[in-house]
Amino acid sequence: SQQGEEDPQALSIQEGENATMNCSYKTSINNLQWYRQNSGRGLVHLILIRSNEREKHSGRLRVTLDTSKKSSSLLITASRAADTASYFCATDSPNGANNLFFGTGTRLTVIP
Amino acid sequence: GAVVSQHPSRVICKSGTSVKIECRSLDFQATTMFWYRQFPKQSLMLMATSNEGSKATYEQGVEKDKFLINHASLTLSTLTVTSAHPEDSSFYICSADQRAGELFFGEGSRLTVL
């Protein structure tokens, strides 16, 4: 299976703290993406990092990618209660098709 | 960003009936759409890839006669759950490929089979 794994499965932090989520995958990739999902809703694309990139920033988000370890991390700095959601990493198909395989997700709860 | 609309957002049906879920790209043409299934508190599992004008490609373990996919136009793909049973109750999400490489997701459809 190409599905990745994320840890932790659940994370609870105080508002203002940083949240770090990790993702590991199994196959070679062209890019890795992070998505956010509020409970019972669709997905919102957060950030895409290509296989030749090591780090990428977008606002309060910082994503790293280590292709040698087949792992990525998502850091949310200065968390807010509104950041409470599930976060998924997704990798593309090795054959280049634009379908995604999702990790197991991390449920983040930010306590006001 | 581009908008993908899914309908219905919630549907409750009796066991044995068929349910159709629509996925529309509202402001762009999508030659490829994807259907995912998500069980409570779990990740999304790719079910099938829907290609405009051709048969869908199903992932291993997904019954194509159970989950009928039709991609009749560049802006519409439909997923029909045939003869639904309680174990088909799930959250179904579609996504559309805008050619630029970024996928846009619908809001999802929650199916409950009684």
Side-chain angles (χ1 to χ4, degrees), chain A residues 1-3 6 31 33 35 37 39-45 48 50 88-89 97-105, chain B residues 10 32 34 36 38 41-46 49 59 91 93 97-108 110:
Chain A
S1 170
Q2 290 178 235
Q3 188 176 30
E6 289 164 81
N31 59 65
Q33 304 181 50
Y35 287 84
Q37 184 184 33
S39 182
R41 303 292 297 276
L43 297 170
V44 174
H45 180 262
L48 179 151
R50 302 194 185 282
F88 296 93
C89 69
N98 197 19
N99 50 338
L100 298 177
F101 295 90
F102 285 82
T104 49
Chain B
R10 291 178 182 271
T32 306
F34 304 92
Y36 298 84
Q38 185 181 35
K41 299 183 181 180
Q42 294 191 29
S43 189
L44 288 83
M45 295 296 294
L46 178 66
T49 302
E59 294 299 305
F91 193 59
I93 301 179
D97 177 2
Q98 201 199 9
R99 292 190 183 180
E102 184 175 354
L103 291 180
F104 294 90
F105 286 80
E107 282 290 296
R110 182 164 301 283

Side-chain angles (χ1 to χ4, degrees), chain A residues 7-112:
Chain A
D7 76 273
Q9 291 188 344
L11 178 62
S12 184
I13 60 175
Q14 294 289 330
E15 199 166 31
E17 294 180 340
N18 296 340
T20 299
M21 290 160 271
N22 302 298
C23 165
S24 60
Y25 57 93
K26 299 178 181 178
T27 65
S28 60
I29 60 172
N30 296 313
N31 59 65
L32 183 146
Q33 304 181 50
W34 283 89
Y35 287 84
R36 167 197 168 121
Q37 184 184 33
N38 285 49
S39 182
R41 303 292 297 276
L43 297 170
V44 174
H45 180 262
L46 295 177
I47 197 166
L48 179 151
I49 186 165
R50 302 194 185 282
S51 60
N52 62 352
E53 298 177 309
R54 292 295 168 259
E55 188 171 310
K56 203 163 183 178
H57 297 253
S58 177
R60 293 185 295 115
L61 305 179
R62 182 171 78 95
V63 168
T64 62
L65 178 63
D66 187 334
T67 53
S68 65
K69 295 181 180 179
K70 290 187 169 59
S71 67
S72 175
S73 68
L74 170 66
L75 168 68
I76 303 175
T77 60
S79 64
R80 305 167 181 167
D83 294 329
T84 295
S86 290
Y87 292 83
F88 296 93
C89 69
T91 54
D92 62 345
S93 171
N95 63 13
N98 197 19
N99 50 338
L100 298 177
F101 295 90
F102 285 82
T104 49
T106 294
R107 173 70 188 168
L108 173 66
T109 302
V110 180
I111 303 168

Side-chain angles (χ1 to χ4, degrees), chain B residues 9-21:
Chain B
S9 58
R10 291 178 182 271
V11 57
I12 300 173
C13 70
K14 292 182 178 180
S15 186
T17 60
S18 294
V19 175
K20 180 185 285 187
I21 301 170

